[in-house]
């Protein structure tokens, strides 16, 4: 109503297939269906606003009496695409002379990765708090990138750094960036961080016309606006949980937005610059990182926020496993996933603050209360089809699983967070291609036997404070795993909370 008692939502007339695509009433707010709430519950009062453009596009808004748009939908005439307003000129991938970011921050060290975007042989100089502390020569062999390892730093301390690239004809200087080292393991210090995943997937890249309004009233326009939102939280660091490139997705200049495959046309998404290829070669994997890092909002965020980088499937290709053989429609028949894996892994090391050839599973302590564990679920897994079988199928493999078990047991942190780039409690992939631990069967199968081993160890050793932070599935959720609801016949485990986010800039489903 606009000014009357509110109740409902009512039941659906299923005779004609009616279903709610959006609903807001007392029942959805936790009250009785027929509550008859007063207009003081203003979020339940609403009116409608409709407009039709000169082109015949119909826009419907359901508006609260406080002016908040509760729901909005645009309807397009048959066979018509929404008008595109962006420039016809392809924008450059980057406008910066030097790209730099920090990561793997500890209480005494930091990794700083940089690239000379001139793409000329250069001497790369690293300055810390105004003084040059290291240098390296960069060239084509690493695509003009280098990662510095800086040690002997003070804990819980803010530092400023800057990278310059000195070539034969000119010296290019990057922006002044910063990071704060972690507190020591005995320091009861407050810590704040963000975690994210799924960037530039399903054909949704950098759109200069994309604009949203932040809750603080700030308009954010162009590119990856999520990084501006995350920066407002001033996190001490960020977890990049994987799928931070989509090497197996092209990003064409234009993409129709539809309600499902073959569904109604909802609009047209613009990508400028575009990235219209599938990565096979080393240079193509590198170009995926350059495309995302060229976004100004992402660059600014990385200049202020150290990161911990993991990878998932789309850094290589969807739901891949070692030894898999690929083919149409994305690749030539007989393409070996291990060849893509090797090229992608090299690009991952080059374009992220990681030391080359270091093991990707590791952990990091942040003060008295927090330790984060970073597993690698891609490099050691058995083939996805084996995940439906009654025998063990590796996800982490024996050595990594023992590392995680022992690390959780030895940790004295209040909270032991597993940065789980595939979910523990959510089924992913279809029949024969289950990509995470679970299937759609209550039986404990395949990779779930590895999870059972981990959960049993946590229970037997009375390890407290284990939490999973995850992503990958392109929706937001809180999952609770509890033996009281377990249907697999295994009850000797502690309840575990898992928090699911994503995507940050990709298709949602």
């Amino acid at each position: 109503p606009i000014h009357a008692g509110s109740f409902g939502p009512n039941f659906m007339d299923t005779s004609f297939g009616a279903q709610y695509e959006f609903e807001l009433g007392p029942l959805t707010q936790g009250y009785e269906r027929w509550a008859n709430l007063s207009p003081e519950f203003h979020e339940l009062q609403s009116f409608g606003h409709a407009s039709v453009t000169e082109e015949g596009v119909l826009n419907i808004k359901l508006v609260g009496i406080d002016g908040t748009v509760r729901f909005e939908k645009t309807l397009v005439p048959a066979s018509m695409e929404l008008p595109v307003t962006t420039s016809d000129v392809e924008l450059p991938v980057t406008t910066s002379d030097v790209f730099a970011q920090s990561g793997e921050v500890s209480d005494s060290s930091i990794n700083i990765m940089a690239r000379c975007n001139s793409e000329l042989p250069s001497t790369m100089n690293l300055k810390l708090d105004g003084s040059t502390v290291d240098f390296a020569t960069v060239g084509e062999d690493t695509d003009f990138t280098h990662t510095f390892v800086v040690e002997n730093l003070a804990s819980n301390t803010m530092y400023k750094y800057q990278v310059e690239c000195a070539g034969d004809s000119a010296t290019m200087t990057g922006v002044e960036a910063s990071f704060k080292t972690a507190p020591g393991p005995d320091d009861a210090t407050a810590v704040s961080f963000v975690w994210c995943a799924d960037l530039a997937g399903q054909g949704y890249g950098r759109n200069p016309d994309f604009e949203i309004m932040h809750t603080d009233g700030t308009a954010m326009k162009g590119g990856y606006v999520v990084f501006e939102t995350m920066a407002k939280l001033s996190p001490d660091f960020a977890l990049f949980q994987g799928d931070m490139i989509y090497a197996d997705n092209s990003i064409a200049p234009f993409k129709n937005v539809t309600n499902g495959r073959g569904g109604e046309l909802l609009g047209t998404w613009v990508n400028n610059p575009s990235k219209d290829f599938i990565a096979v070669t080393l240079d193509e994997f590198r170009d995926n990182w350059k495309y995302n890092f060229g976004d100004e909002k992402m660059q600014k965020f990385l200049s202020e926020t150290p990161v911990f980088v993991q990878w998932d499937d789309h850094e290589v290709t969807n739901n891949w496993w070692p030894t898999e053989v690929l083919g149409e429609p994305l690749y030539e028949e007989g393409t070996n996933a291990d060849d893509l894996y090797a090229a992608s892994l090299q690009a991952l090391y080059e374009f992220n603050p990681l030391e080359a050839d270091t093991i990707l599973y590791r952990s990091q302590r942040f003060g008295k209360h927090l330790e984060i564990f970073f597993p690698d679920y891609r490099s050691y897994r058995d083939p996805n089809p084996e995940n439906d079988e009654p025998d063990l199928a590796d996800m982490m493999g024996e050595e990594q699983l023992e590392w995680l078990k022992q690390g959780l047991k030895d940790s004295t942190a209040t909270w032991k967070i597993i940065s789980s780039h595939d979910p523990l409690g959510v089924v992913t992939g279809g029949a024969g291609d289950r990509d995470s631990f679970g299937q759609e069967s209550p039986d404990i199968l395949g990779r779930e036997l590895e999870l059972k081993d981990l959960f049993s160890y946590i229970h037997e050793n009375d390890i407290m404070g284990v939490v999973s932070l995850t992503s990958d599935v392109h929706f937001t959720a809180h999952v609770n795993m509890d033996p009281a609801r377990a249907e697999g016949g295994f009850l000797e485990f502690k309840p575990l909370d898992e928090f699911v986010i994503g995507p940050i800039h990709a298709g949602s489903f």
Side-chain angles (χ1 to χ4, degrees):
I2 56 172
H3 190 94
S6 57
F7 42 85
N10 290 19
F11 298 104
M12 291 274 84
D13 183 354
T14 57
S15 301
F16 301 99
Q19 70 174 17
Y20 286 114
E21 294 187 1
F22 171 80
E23 55 181 306
L24 180 61
L27 187 63
T28 55
Q29 297 287 80
Y31 300 102
E32 295 295 327
R33 186 187 297 273
W34 315 119
N36 194 21
L37 300 178
S38 74
E40 291 175 303
F41 295 82
H42 64 85
E43 66 274 12
L44 301 177
Q45 309 276 311
S46 67
F47 65 94
H49 177 260
S51 61
V52 181
T53 69
E54 294 177 355
E55 294 81 10
V57 176
L58 174 63
N59 180 260
I60 302 291
K61 295 179 181 178
L62 310 182
V63 187
I65 61 173
D66 62 353
T68 301
V69 177
R70 305 297 183 192
F71 180 77
E72 180 177 5
K73 187 163 186 176
T74 300
L75 303 177
V76 183
S79 302
M80 174 185 171
E81 295 184 359
L82 289 181
V84 176
T85 59
T86 193
S87 169
D88 292 332
V89 178
E90 179 82 356
L91 298 175
V93 169
T94 185
T95 58
S96 66
D97 295 324
V98 180
F99 170 76
Q101 60 174 324
S102 67
E104 300 298 302
V105 62
S106 75
D107 61 354
S108 63
S109 65
I110 190 79
N111 290 358
I112 295 174
M113 172 266 162
R115 182 177 192 269
C116 297
N117 286 336
S118 64
E119 299 187 346
L120 296 172
S122 302
T123 298
M124 184 182 288
N125 298 304
L126 172 65
K127 293 183 178 180
L128 190 69
D129 286 343
S131 299
T132 300
V133 295
D134 207 348
F135 70 94
T137 301
V138 297
E140 292 183 357
D141 58 328
T142 62
D143 201 8
F144 310 97
T145 66
H146 182 74
T147 293
F148 297 99
V149 179
V150 184
E151 299 177 312
N152 300 316
L153 302 176
S155 65
N156 201 32
T157 300
M158 185 68 73
Y159 288 91
K160 295 185 182 299
Y161 70 94
Q162 199 165 28
V163 176
E164 64 179 22
C165 295
D168 290 338
S169 58
T171 296
M172 305 294 184
T173 302
V175 300
E176 186 176 69
S178 63
F179 64 88
K180 186 171 76 171
T181 50
D186 298 323
D187 297 336
T189 303
V191 176
S192 162
F193 66 96
V194 295
W195 81 98
C196 62
D198 306 307
L199 177 66
Q202 290 71 52
Y204 297 110
R206 292 160 54 184
N207 184 343
D209 299 326
F210 178 42
E211 183 174 8
I212 63 173
M213 186 71 69
H214 191 272
T215 56
D216 66 6
T218 304
M220 302 183 297
K221 182 176 181 179
Y224 300 146
V225 299
V226 61
F227 290 102
E228 190 170 335
T229 298
M230 290 194 299
K232 290 176 182 289
L233 298 172
S234 300
D236 295 313
F237 58 91
L239 314 182
F240 283 6
Q241 288 195 322
D243 295 343
M244 294 300 286
I245 62 170
Y246 275 70
D248 57 332
N249 284 196
S250 63
I251 299 177
F254 303 99
K255 176 181 173 62
N256 286 340
V257 183
T258 59
N259 184 15
R261 295 176 180 174
E264 66 176 308
L265 182 66
L266 303 178
T268 300
W269 177 268
V270 175
N271 292 304
N272 193 357
S274 59
K275 179 195 71 79
D276 207 0
F277 62 88
I278 306 297
V280 175
T281 68
L282 172 59
D283 282 340
E284 287 169 340
F285 283 105
R286 288 166 165 170
D287 285 346
N288 274 269
W289 290 107
K290 284 184 270 191
Y291 179 86
N292 282 351
F293 288 160
D295 178 75
E296 292 181 359
K297 291 178 175 62
M298 188 175 190
Q299 285 186 51
K300 187 173 189 306
F301 178 82
L302 291 172
S303 74
E304 301 168 343
T305 314
V307 296
F308 290 88
V309 175
Q310 296 170 274
W311 71 343
D312 199 34
D313 54 334
H314 290 288
E315 276 80 6
V316 179
T317 193
N318 185 53
N319 290 3
W320 73 278
W321 63 84
T323 73
E324 183 181 10
V325 178
L326 307 167
E328 296 291 342
L330 296 185
Y331 307 100
E332 292 183 4
E333 291 296 335
T335 297
N336 193 327
D338 285 352
D339 293 335
L340 304 183
Y341 167 33
S344 176
L345 185 61
Q346 180 174 337
L348 180 81
Y349 283 127
E350 290 174 343
F351 279 82
N352 291 279
L354 297 166
E355 289 188 84
D357 301 324
T358 53
I359 294 175
L360 291 178
Y361 62 86
R362 72 269 192 209
S363 65
Q364 183 57 54
R365 186 69 178 258
F366 287 90
K368 178 179 178 180
H369 295 300
L370 180 64
E371 185 165 1
I372 303 180
F373 295 83
F374 303 94
D376 175 7
Y377 295 154
R378 301 303 331 175
S379 302
Y380 309 96
R381 65 168 55 206
D382 285 327
N384 284 3
E386 296 181 12
N387 199 23
D388 291 308
E389 301 298 324
D391 296 329
L392 171 68
D394 285 338
M395 178 68 117
M396 292 179 279
E398 183 177 355
E399 183 175 330
Q400 183 180 184
L401 177 60
E402 290 304 312
W403 160 82
L404 180 57
K405 288 158 57 174
Q406 193 64 46
L408 292 172
K409 181 181 178 182
D410 292 344
S411 178
T412 59
T414 305
W415 298 106
K416 305 156 188 71
I417 290 178
I418 302 175
S419 181
S420 186
H421 59 88
D422 286 326
L424 307 181
V426 181
V427 176
T428 69
D433 192 27
R434 302 298 186 192
D435 195 56
S436 191
F437 289 90
Q439 313 81 25
E440 293 181 16
S441 168
D443 297 330
I444 296 177
L445 306 170
R447 297 185 188 121
E448 289 177 322
L449 292 167
E450 195 177 75
L451 200 56
K452 176 184 176 182
D453 187 351
L454 176 62
F455 283 2
S456 178
Y457 185 87
I458 291 171
H459 180 270
E460 291 171 0
N461 289 275
D462 196 27
I463 302 172
M464 306 298 290
V466 180
V467 174
S468 173
L469 303 182
T470 190
S471 48
D472 182 59
V473 290
H474 293 238
F475 62 84
T476 307
H478 168 223
V479 176
N480 177 262
M481 307 173 74
D482 194 304
R485 297 186 298 271
E487 299 177 3
F490 169 61
L491 305 178
E492 300 299 312
F493 67 94
K494 292 180 179 293
L496 184 140
D497 284 310
E498 181 166 62
F499 299 90
V500 187
I501 57 89
I504 56 169
H505 189 102
S508 55
F509 41 83

